[in-house]
Amino acid sequence: MARFTLPRDLYHGKGSLEALKSFEGKKAIICVGGGSMKRFGFLDRAIDYLKEAGMEVDLIEGIEPDPSVETVMKGAEKMLEFEPDWIIAMGGGSPIDAAKAMWIKYEYPEVTFEDMCKVFGLPKLRRKAHFCAISSTSGTATEVTAFSIITDYEKGIKYPIADFEITPDVAIVDPDLAETMPQKLVAHTGMDAMTHAVEAYVSTANCDFTDPLAIHAIEMIMRDLVPSYNGDMEARDRMHVAQCLAGQAFSNALLGIVHSMAHKTGAAFADYGAHIIHGAANAMYLPKVIAFNAKDETAKKRYGVIADYMHLGGANDDEKVKLLIDYLRKMNDDLNIPHCIKNYGADSYPTEQGFVPEKIFLERLPEIAKNAIGDACTGSNPRQPSQEEMEKLLKCCYYDTEVDF
């Protein structure tokens, strides 16, 4: 038996933030990030709509990119004091992911972070509060997913929390919010969405309910991501829909080792002054993982289907896989994303010498590979890597060398 779970309500289209006026409850707490929602007036609008609905409103502000365990625990404490019956998470993936984890701790104060990370092992939520997610970026799709990513900075590891319980009750997909994204964020979130759709389609948990969502998302991203990056606002509005479709697909079909590797490399070199931004990591690793997974015949056929829907040509599946890889690498070029860690600058742009020194990468490689294999996303990858294969694959992602194993 399989399960397909999405938010009960999804409000979409320009101006759909107004749906907050229809919410019923006494208290709402809004979780937001670094200030863009306030700067562009969306936070004030959300507060006004909730007050119009008769609610008392409080805020948890300043949730950082790649939110920490400490941020989650502090936010949960504030929720325990305020006792909201609606948690409204607003902004990019970070405030929404943090709010999901805060929600767990609010409902079950005795739960530890380690307990939260047990895959599909959470107790029933919604005893105290319902959850609404409003995304301002077009990539993570956390507004419709059963996932949250929280960083343990002591260990330098990003941990996915995975459970259908944290699928939001309501998602608001309002493209007005996405129009405020800076160009670099458009690129990274867009390639995150592309990776979600591709990984969901070839995942071992794919099914007839997830396949159409993944394929249509790929078609839309192919058409709209680069124009969105170059300032076409109609394309940007459509990308907000495309990333949400990809999220609906992967939340139910799960992901693969592109994400496992991105999770475990993202904060692994933070002591050298930067993170490998999640969407950029996905963009760099996706072509390498396709080459690795395509050694599995079932995966190769499914990559061939993706190439067919993208009208890339190719006389057989081997040619189609190569054309798909070439297309994705060209997309990275168009979006100013490097091809490998060695050329990944601290500002995320391509550079001759990236911020991760070769010696440090090689020293940390065995541990990163081990952690990637243990990541929650690895189990649904179509080809299960050994420790040796994962290390070789990560080296290919560092040096941009061919995957021939």
Side-chain angles (χ1 to χ4, degrees), residues 150-379:
I150 304 298
T151 303
D152 183 330
Y153 282 91
E154 276 186 33
K155 295 180 181 172
I157 293 175
K158 295 185 179 185
Y159 287 97
I161 300 171
D163 199 292
F164 287 121
E165 283 300 313
I166 59 169
T167 304
D169 299 289
V170 178
I172 296 177
V173 184
D174 187 335
D176 285 344
L177 279 68
E179 290 184 6
T180 65
M181 281 192 294
Q183 190 180 45
K184 182 161 75 171
L185 194 58
V186 172
H188 294 161
T189 56
M191 288 308 292
D192 192 19
M194 177 63 98
T195 306
H196 290 156
V198 172
E199 288 211 291
Y201 192 74
V202 301
S203 158
T204 56
N206 74 74
C207 69
D208 290 334
F209 294 96
T210 59
D211 283 354
L213 293 163
I215 287 293
H216 191 45
I218 291 166
E219 291 175 318
M220 290 181 75
I221 295 164
M222 179 187 186
R223 179 190 65 195
D224 292 321
L225 176 53
V226 173
S228 170
Y229 177 77
N230 289 324
D232 180 335
M233 287 302 161
E234 287 185 9
R236 191 163 303 178
D237 291 352
R238 291 192 296 267
M239 272 300 302
H240 208 45
V241 174
Q243 63 86 30
C244 187
L245 295 173
Q248 292 174 57
F250 91 76
S251 187
N252 291 280
L254 308 180
L255 292 164
I257 59 172
V258 179
H259 272 77
S260 303
M261 292 155 64
H263 293 154
K264 298 326 186 212
T265 54
F269 309 100
D271 53 331
Y272 280 80
H275 277 215
I276 302 175
I277 296 169
H278 180 72
N282 283 337
M284 293 189 296
Y285 306 163
L286 180 58
K288 304 302 184 193
V289 170
I290 290 173
F292 175 80
N293 284 343
K295 306 291 189 291
D296 174 90
E297 284 301 316
T298 302
K300 190 202 299 188
K301 283 188 175 62
R302 290 186 76 79
Y303 289 129
V305 173
I306 291 172
D308 287 342
Y309 274 100
M310 293 173 74
H311 306 289
L312 300 181
N316 54 52
D317 286 330
D318 288 315
E319 288 184 15
K320 290 173 187 178
V321 167
K322 184 180 183 311
L323 288 164
L324 176 59
I325 289 169
D326 290 346
Y327 185 91
L328 292 168
R329 287 176 65 86
K330 169 69 164 58
M331 214 166 185
N332 287 347
D333 289 336
D334 291 342
L335 299 168
N336 207 15
I337 295 173
H339 290 297
C340 62
I341 299 169
K342 181 169 71 77
N343 300 132
Y344 184 94
D347 59 1
S348 85
Y349 291 123
T351 182
E352 197 165 323
Q353 183 53 60
F355 84 93
V356 181
E358 180 182 30
K359 181 172 178 287
I360 300 302
F361 173 80
L362 293 173
E363 279 174 10
R364 298 181 186 181
L365 177 60
E367 185 68 14
I368 292 169
K370 185 183 85 167
N371 291 334
I373 289 170
D375 188 88
C377 295
T378 299

